[in-house]
Amino acid sequence: MALSGNLEAQRRRDELVELANGPQGVMIEAAAELFAVSSMTIRRDLLELEAEGRVRRVRGGATAAPRARPFDARRAIRASAKRAIAEKALRLVPAQGSVAFDASSTVNMLASAIGPRAGLTVYTNSFESFQVLQPLDGVTAVISGGTAEPTTGSLVGPIARRSMRSVYFDAFFSSADALDGADGTSEVSVEEAELKQAMAANAGTTVVCVDSSKLGRRSVARALDGDEISVLITELDPADERLDAFRGIADIL
């Protein structure tokens, strides 16, 4: 009987993880009804799953655990939304001057779209974006150097930060693992967050490009405060009510 109960609990927790990884996450009351158990049982399940690093608890339920993903995997997630964001962001990339691109797959979509320029220098900590930008006429691509983050492949660490702190940018284009209306952006690691802070510190304009699944969430490491964000770009219509919490933070495209 105990063995059967343990197996049932394990299956329930595995299904809770699948639900948490979905676009809406999992809510305690709905899960209790779905599995025909008490809300307290679901709360205990989510506590254990968070301790194992399999979910992240939020008010009333849980969402997917923040985790770094390889670049190719990240690029495939919500690709149509990222393309829509890149199309909007393209209008903000100057013909000349200097800009910084982070190592996100969303900003890599932008790098793939900019085409020839009239004397633009792009600094990036992304090897993938560096490769895309290097052949373009009128574009000088500069890679930051640093240590490769073992899962995402982006360049981070003190060398990368020192490189980015030595240059002034007309604009910094960044994505984020999460964006909260009160706390700003956050990332999957302290190293990622620290590098984005260094890039934003020297930028005249900071453009945050995130798809709507990142909104109203927090990740592991706090990165940019709301007052550091100049423009917010999502795939949504700027009038969408899901953006209401961010209207006092930045211009919305």
Side-chain angles (χ1 to χ4, degrees), residues 65-71 73-74 149-153 177 188-189 192 219:
R67 61 190 185 277
R69 296 182 178 94
F71 182 84
R74 287 185 285 130
E149 203 283 337
T151 304
T152 66
D177 191 55
V188 297
S189 72
E192 295 274 2
S219 191

Side-chain angles (χ1 to χ4, degrees), residues 12 23 27 41 65 90 102 119 215 217 225 234 237 241 244:
R12 183 178 65 245
M27 302 306 292
T41 296
L90 187 58
D102 77 356
L215 300 178
R217 294 180 45 233
D225 291 336
T234 75
D237 185 289
E241 63 182 12
D244 288 350

Side-chain angles (χ1 to χ4, degrees), residues 44-57:
R44 283 197 297 267
D45 287 342
L46 295 180
L47 275 169
E48 292 189 21
L49 290 170
E50 185 177 53
E52 294 169 4
R54 299 179 69 192
V55 304
R56 180 180 184 276
R57 286 190 304 139

